[in-house]
Amino acid sequence: MDLKFNKNEDAQRLLLSELKTRAERLRMGGGAAKLEKHRSQGKMTARERIDFLKDKDSPFLELGLFAGDDMYNEDGGCPAGGVVMGLATVSGRQCLIVANDATVKAGAWFPITAKKNLRAQEIAMENRLPIIYLVDSAGVYLPKQDEVFADKEHFGRIFRNNSIMSSMGITQIAAVMGPCVAGGAYLPILSDEALIVKKTGSIFLAGSYLVKAAIGEDVDNETLGGALTHSEISGVTDYACEDDADCLKRIRFIMDKLGKTQDAGYDRTEPKLPKRALNDVYGVLPENRDQPYDVRELLECLCDEGEIQEYKAGYGKTLVCAYARIDGWAVGIVANQRLVVKNKKGEMQFGGVIYSDSADKAARFIMNCNQKRIPLVFLHDVTGFMVGSRSEHGGIIKDGAKMVNAVSNSIVPKITVVIGNSYGAGNYAMCGKAYDPRFIFAWPSARIAVMGGAQAAKTLLQIQKATLKAKGEEPNAQAEAQLLETITQRYNAQTSPYYAAARLWVDEIIDPAQTRMYISAGLQAANQAPEQRAFNPGVIQT
C-alpha cells in the first residue's frame, strides 16, 4: 500500500470512528436512567425486543438511526425519532420491524417519528415485505401536534397505509407491549393480527383521566383497555401474552406459518467475494474530496471477484456504466467517475461532472437494464452537469433530461449509495431521494446539497453584501472574511450526511465496508415484489 492510500484510509477511519460514536449515543435512546426505569417495569427495551424477535446470528440492518438527530433540542431531543426500524429475518422470512422506544418521551410521536413510520410502510409496500409493529407509545407529542396531525403525510396517513397494505396482502402483525393511545389505537387493529401483553399493554381511544373529564366515569386504565379487557370482553386483540418474551415467541410462531409468495425473479447466483478486501474501500476514496480517483477501484471492493462488463467504456467517460454481480445478485451499476479524462475528440472532461455524452450513455444503459430486468445500483460522487456555452449549445439540458426520464420511469429496483458529493441536478439524475430508490444509503464521506460549499458560500456572500450595500453599509475586508466563514460553516453543516439522515433524506449512514451487505439485503427485499407494469419511458428525445 502506498502513502496516498494510507492517508486516505486514515481519513476514512476517522469519519467511521465519528459515525460509531454518534450511533452508540443514539442507541442509548432516552439514556441509561430511562432504560433502567423501563426494564424495572418488566419490559424489554425496543432494541432488546428486536434482538429477541429476529433469528439468532442474523443481522438487524437498522434504518433511520439518525432520524431527528439534533432537530428537537428545545424539547430535550428525539434520538432515532423515538422509534427503531430496520430489516431483519424472523422465522426465516425477511421482514421490516418497527418498534417504539418508550425511553424517548414515553414513545411519543414527534413529526420525524411519523415520517420515519411512513418510510417504513413505504419500504414494506414497495417490496411486499411483512411488517411487525412493536407498539409502546403515549401518542402524539402535543407541543408539536400541529406538525403531526392533519396534513397528508402526517399521523393519519399511517392508518391509511395499514388499510392499503391489507388490501395488497402484505402481512402486518402488531404487538401492544405498552400504551397504545387515541388515534394510535387504530394501528394494531388495522393489522392482520394483534397481540397484547398483560399488565403492560393497553389500548384505548381515551385514557382514564380523559374519560373522567369527558363523561365523569371513574375507571382505571387496566379495566378500560388492558389485556384481559381486549382479549376476553371486547375481542379487539387476538392473543393475550404473559410478558414480552411470550409475545415475541408467538410472533415468531405466526411468521413461521406464512405462505411463500412469488418473487420478482431477479437473477442471483452463488455469491463470491470481491477481488479486493472490503476494507480497501477506505483507502480508495481520497482524503481531499476534490482529488481524482478511479471508481473502478471501488468496484473491485464491491463486485463479486471484482468483475465488471463495462458498457460503452470509451464513450461518456465521466460515468462508468457496467454489468456486475454484488453478493450474487445481477446488477447494473451507474457510477460517477472522478478521473480527469479525454473524450473521443481529445477534449478534457473533468471528473465528477456529467457531460452530454455521459448522460446519453447512462440513459441508454438504464433502459437496457429495464429491458433485461436487471436491478440498478447508483454510486454518487457528482458535482452536477457541465455548464457553459459549449455544453448548452451541445444540448446538455436535453441529454440530462433523457437520463432523468430513464431514471424516473425505471421499473426495476434502484438502490442508491452516496459515497462522496451529490450536488445539484447530479443528485436527481443519479437517482436521489426524489426518484424513489428502494433504499438510499450514505457513507460518512457523503455531501448532499444544491452545490458545493465553496461555491455556495461565495454566492451567498455576494447576496449578503448586496443586501448590506442596499442599506448603505459597506463591510470591510475583516468583516467580509468573518461573514464568509459564518456562511461557509452553516452551509457545510447542512451538506453533512448527518443533516441528511436526520431528515430521512437517506435511509442510513453506513460503514463503507458494509456496502455489499446493505445492497444485497435491499435486493433481497426488492425481489419479493414482482413488477406491476411494463417499462415505458414516455416521450424521450434521441
Side-chain angles (χ1 to χ4, degrees):
M1 298 297 177
D2 59 23
L3 181 61
K4 181 179 177 182
F5 184 98
N6 290 336
K7 283 186 174 181
N8 293 343
E9 184 178 36
D10 288 344
Q12 291 300 316
R13 288 192 180 279
L14 279 174
L15 292 175
L16 185 59
S17 177
E18 180 187 6
L19 173 64
K20 290 179 177 178
T21 299
R22 285 174 175 249
E24 286 172 8
R25 171 177 57 82
L26 293 172
R27 290 192 181 104
M28 288 296 290
K34 292 285 181 66
L35 288 168
E36 286 311 308
K37 182 179 178 181
H38 184 86
R39 294 186 183 105
S40 72
Q41 299 169 4
K43 298 160 71 174
M44 298 180 185
T45 66
R47 295 179 187 282
E48 288 168 349
R49 287 166 176 165
I50 291 171
D51 190 59
F52 190 97
L53 177 61
K54 72 177 182 65
D55 292 351
K56 302 306 175 190
D57 301 321
S58 67
F60 172 63
L61 297 187
E62 186 163 358
L63 305 173
L65 172 61
F66 293 91
D69 189 30
D70 205 29
M71 286 178 61
Y72 302 104
N73 295 334
E74 71 282 4
D75 296 285
C78 187
V83 64
V84 184
M85 179 259 284
L87 294 169
T89 303
V90 177
S91 297
R93 286 291 293 269
Q94 189 187 37
C95 62
L96 201 68
I97 302 176
V98 181
N100 295 114
D101 186 351
T103 70
V104 179
K105 292 287 192 294
W109 289 63
F110 281 67
I112 197 67
T113 315
K115 187 174 183 179
K116 187 170 176 178
N117 275 265
L118 288 170
R119 175 58 180 147
Q121 291 181 321
E122 180 182 43
I123 291 171
M125 286 190 283
E126 285 184 332
N127 300 290
R128 300 296 180 101
L129 285 175
I131 187 166
I132 299 169
Y133 307 99
L134 306 180
V135 184
D136 194 345
S137 172
V140 168
Y141 182 64
L142 290 178
K144 299 283 186 186
Q145 67 84 28
D146 62 318
E147 300 177 50
V148 180
F149 176 67
D151 208 349
K152 179 178 179 180
E153 298 296 331
H154 282 178
F155 194 47
R157 186 78 170 181
I158 291 164
F159 315 132
R160 174 263 188 194
N161 287 350
N162 288 138
S163 304
I164 297 298
M165 283 191 281
S166 181
S167 73
M168 294 170 68
I170 297 172
T171 297
Q172 299 176 83
I173 300 170
V176 181
M177 311 180 84
C180 189
V181 183
Y186 287 106
L187 184 146
I189 312 311
L190 283 166
S191 299
D192 300 332
E193 294 187 84
L195 305 87
I196 188 168
V197 178
K198 294 177 182 178
K199 298 182 180 178
T200 59
S202 58
I203 307 172
F204 34 68
L205 295 180
S208 56
Y209 293 129
L210 184 54
V211 168
K212 175 65 174 178
I215 64 173
E217 180 184 1
D218 286 309
V219 62
D220 63 85
N221 284 339
E222 188 66 25
T223 303
L224 185 65
L228 294 180
T229 294
H230 285 311
S231 61
E232 297 181 7
I233 300 174
S234 71
V236 165
T237 55
D238 304 308
Y239 310 95
C241 309
E242 296 300 322
D243 53 25
D244 282 9
D246 180 40
C247 182
L248 298 169
K249 287 176 183 176
R250 287 174 184 251
I251 294 174
R252 290 185 55 81
F253 190 86
I254 294 168
M255 288 290 294
D256 182 59
K257 308 303 179 293
L258 296 188
K260 302 300 180 186
T261 56
Q262 180 184 359
D263 65 33
Y266 301 121
D267 188 65
R268 190 183 195 189
T269 59
E270 186 69 26
K272 296 179 181 178
L273 290 174
K275 178 180 179 180
R276 297 177 63 167
L278 297 177
N279 287 350
D280 276 2
V281 296
Y282 303 142
V284 173
L285 204 66
E287 175 186 10
N288 183 336
R289 297 300 307 111
D290 295 325
Q291 292 299 309
Y293 66 96
D294 192 341
V295 75
R296 297 179 189 88
E297 291 187 45
L298 283 181
L299 298 184
E300 290 179 348
C301 306
L302 298 178
C303 300
D304 291 15
E305 298 186 319
E307 185 177 28
I308 65 172
Q309 177 64 50
E310 195 167 341
Y311 175 80
K312 293 183 182 289
Y315 178 72
K317 293 184 178 181
T318 63
L319 277 176
V320 170
C321 299
Y323 299 110
R325 288 191 183 275
I326 294 179
D327 199 37
W329 293 100
V331 296
I333 295 171
V334 181
N336 299 113
Q337 176 62 294
R338 290 299 300 267
L339 286 177
V340 179
V341 295
K342 291 183 179 180
N343 63 15
K344 285 189 173 182
K345 298 177 182 178
E347 299 167 334
M348 299 303 293
Q349 292 189 320
F350 296 94
V353 181
I354 301 176
Y355 289 76
S356 284
D357 53 357
S358 303
D360 174 66
K361 175 173 80 169
R364 292 171 181 271
F365 180 72
I366 291 164
M367 289 189 283
N368 280 347
C369 287
N370 276 271
Q371 181 78 4
K372 298 177 175 69
R373 301 179 67 248
I374 300 173
L376 287 158
V377 173
F378 293 85
L379 302 178
H380 285 218
D381 197 351
V382 59
T383 53
F385 282 88
M386 190 59 189
V387 296
S389 59
R390 177 178 292 186
S391 294
E392 298 294 356
H393 296 170
I396 185 68
I397 295 175
K398 179 185 72 173
D399 290 316
K402 284 160 52 178
M403 184 176 175
V404 168
N405 183 306
V407 171
S408 302
N409 285 296
S410 287
I411 59 171
V412 295
K414 299 168 290 191
I415 295 180
T416 297
V417 185
V418 184
I419 63 177
N421 302 328
S422 186
Y423 295 153
N427 171 277
Y428 299 161
M430 291 293 292
C431 195
K433 179 70 171 179
Y435 290 81
D436 294 328
R438 295 293 180 93
F439 298 93
I440 177 168
F441 306 115
W443 287 6
S445 50
R447 292 290 181 269
I448 302 172
V450 72
M451 64 177 71
Q455 295 170 287
K458 290 175 183 177
T459 302
L460 291 168
L461 176 63
Q462 295 306 313
I463 295 171
Q464 291 267 28
K465 286 172 63 178
T467 302
L468 290 170
K469 284 182 179 179
K471 295 178 180 178
E473 301 175 27
E474 184 73 40
N476 58 35
Q478 184 178 355
E480 186 174 319
Q482 180 60 51
L483 187 57
L484 179 61
E485 177 67 18
T486 301
I487 292 170
T488 302
Q489 287 181 0
R490 184 174 67 245
Y491 192 87
N492 284 342
Q494 293 177 355
T495 68
S496 159
Y498 299 101
Y499 190 92
R503 289 151 183 80
L504 292 174
W505 300 346
V506 298
D507 290 316
E508 193 61 63
I509 305 172
I510 64 173
D511 178 345
Q514 294 182 332
T515 303
R516 269 171 58 92
M517 179 175 67
Y518 275 87
I519 291 174
S520 180
L523 292 172
Q524 181 186 349
N527 197 42
Q528 298 190 46
E531 295 159 9
Q532 301 297 307
R533 61 185 177 90
F535 176 62
N536 180 2
V539 177
I540 184 167
Q541 298 183 44
T542 58

